Every structure is written in C-alpha cells, then in structure tokens.
Amino acid sequence: IRLHPDLTHVPDNLAQLQWPEKPLDRRVQIQEVARRIFPKKGFTDTTLQDIALEAGISGPAIYQYFSSKEELFLSLFEEHMLQGIFEELTAELQIKEDATYEEVRAVLVDLGESFLDFHKAQAESIRMFISETRRYPEIGRSFLRNLSEPIEADLAKYLDYYVARGLLEIADTSLAAHALFGMLFNINLTQSLFMGDRYDGQPFWQL
C-alpha cells in the first residue's frame, strides 16, 4: 500500500494545532436555553416557541427533540440536576480498606457539603422544580427514583463495610443513610431555598 506523500508526514506541532470545536448538540443547546428561561419566566408562562426563538431554531423544529414543554422540563431535572449530583455524591463514597475513623468521618462530611453546595448553586432551578411538583408529580417520583433511593442505598453499603470492620457502630445503616439525607435536605430547604441567601456556609454538622 502506497500512501499519498501528504499523509506520510506528521507535523511536529500536531498537539498545538487548533481543531475546530464540535458544534453543540442541538438537544443540549435547547436544554441550556430552557435552563435560563424557565427560572426567569416560570414554567407556566414559558412556551416552547420562546425557547426555540432563543435557541435560534424554528418553532416546529423543536418538536423533533421534545414532544412537549413538560418533556423538556423533566429532562432538565433528570439529566442536568439529578445525574450531575448523583455522580458527584457517589464519587465521594469510595471504600478504602485501611481507612481510619477520621478518614471515614471526613468522607461523610465531604458528602454532606457536596450535597448542600450543589443545591445552593442550583437554588433557583430547584425552587422552580419544587413549585411544579404538585402539577407534575413525576418530578417528585423522579427525585426518589434517580437520586434519593440509590444514593441512600450506596451510603448504606459504604457504612455496612466499616460497621463490619468494627470502625463504626450503627444498628441500622439504611436508617442512618435515610436520616442523614433527610437532615441535609431539610437544611437545604430551610437555610437556602426558603430563606434565600441567608445560609452562610456554616458547616452542616455544626448547625
């Protein structure tokens, strides 16, 4: 096989070459626009036409990606809210065979802080989602199915490991995991969501 001469020479500065950026996926683009518009106008007053106009596409074209405003709204909750925080929290729960009590405690503190920091950063979006749960109960069910239940199960397994090693004394790890996230969610609601920016970042274990 003979290669064309132009294909046999690789430039020395290949790593520095500027490649054109891949265009943003249209579906992702629509979601990014919706993330800005929904909190500003509210779910009820926002239309798919509003989002399509801001995204620079025609009204009918948006239906190729989302069949309804409700589908787009739920996709934001599941793909941008739940998936991101779930991956971040599960990354914290890495079992270390020779961990000390102090290290396990530090992991649990980091887990709590990550949970609160994420919700504080997303406060406006979370307020919007909570306000719409009565109209669209699937949001609440999705929260339980895709975040609350699996992360509590992962935390219970993490605690089980160190209970078995004698590092922790917990009678019911599932109940302990449920209680921890219940406390964190309550702190998030009262300190950040209900009272705006009054939450000053005080460590949650000292509240």
Side-chain angles (χ1 to χ4, degrees), residues 60-103:
I62 199 171
Y63 288 96
Q64 298 177 21
Y65 303 92
F66 299 97
S67 62
S68 65
K69 182 173 65 171
E70 291 77 12
E71 181 185 346
L72 172 55
F73 187 77
L74 189 58
S75 79
L76 292 180
F77 184 69
E78 293 183 343
E79 298 173 26
H80 289 268
M81 295 290 297
L82 297 188
Q83 185 175 348
I85 185 58
F86 178 75
E87 292 174 354
E88 183 175 344
L89 294 180
T90 52
E92 300 277 0
L93 296 174
Q94 299 299 314
I95 290 177
K96 183 181 176 183
E97 293 184 3
D98 58 346
T100 64
Y101 171 80
E102 289 73 19
E103 289 174 324

Side-chain angles (χ1 to χ4, degrees), residues 18-32:
Q18 297 296 316
W19 302 99
E21 293 187 4
K22 184 179 179 181
L24 187 65
D25 179 82
R26 182 69 74 179
R27 187 175 189 276
V28 174
Q29 180 187 6
I30 293 170
Q31 289 175 320
E32 290 297 329

Side-chain angles (χ1 to χ4, degrees), residues 22-186:
K22 184 179 179 181
L24 187 65
D25 179 82
R26 182 69 74 179
R27 187 175 189 276
V28 174
Q29 180 187 6
I30 293 170
Q31 289 175 320
E32 290 297 329
V33 170
R35 288 177 69 184
R36 297 196 303 269
I37 293 182
F38 275 134
K40 289 180 180 179
K41 299 186 65 174
F43 178 82
T44 302
D45 293 333
T46 300
T47 67
L48 282 181
Q49 286 69 28
D50 294 332
I51 297 170
L53 181 64
E54 184 71 18
I57 62 176
S58 66
I62 199 171
Y63 288 96
Q64 298 177 21
Y65 303 92
F66 299 97
S67 62
S68 65
K69 182 173 65 171
E70 291 77 12
E71 181 185 346
L72 172 55
F73 187 77
L74 189 58
S75 79
L76 292 180
F77 184 69
E78 293 183 343
E79 298 173 26
H80 289 268
M81 295 290 297
L82 297 188
Q83 185 175 348
I85 185 58
F86 178 75
E87 292 174 354
E88 183 175 344
L89 294 180
T90 52
E92 300 277 0
L93 296 174
Q94 299 299 314
I95 290 177
K96 183 181 176 183
E97 293 184 3
D98 58 346
T100 64
Y101 171 80
E102 289 73 19
E103 289 174 324
V104 173
R105 181 181 184 279
V107 166
L108 297 178
V109 169
D110 288 344
L111 183 75
E113 290 183 334
S114 294
F115 185 91
L116 293 177
D117 288 345
F118 178 86
H119 284 77
K120 185 177 180 182
Q122 302 287 340
E124 285 302 317
S125 295
I126 294 173
R127 286 190 188 100
M128 177 185 66
F129 287 126
I130 291 176
S131 70
E132 297 296 336
T133 52
R134 185 173 183 179
R135 187 196 310 257
Y136 302 107
E138 176 57 26
I139 292 175
R141 290 193 290 266
S142 180
F143 177 84
L144 293 175
R145 182 176 63 248
N146 295 311
L147 179 62
S148 181
E149 292 173 356
I151 195 61
E152 286 183 15
D154 284 353
L155 176 56
K157 291 178 183 177
Y158 180 85
L159 297 175
D160 281 337
Y161 180 83
Y162 293 107
V163 168
R165 282 192 55 208
L167 208 61
L168 300 174
E169 294 184 8
I170 301 175
D172 188 330
T173 55
S174 295
L175 181 60
H178 186 65
L180 175 60
F181 281 103
M183 177 186 69
L184 292 172
F185 195 67
N186 180 65

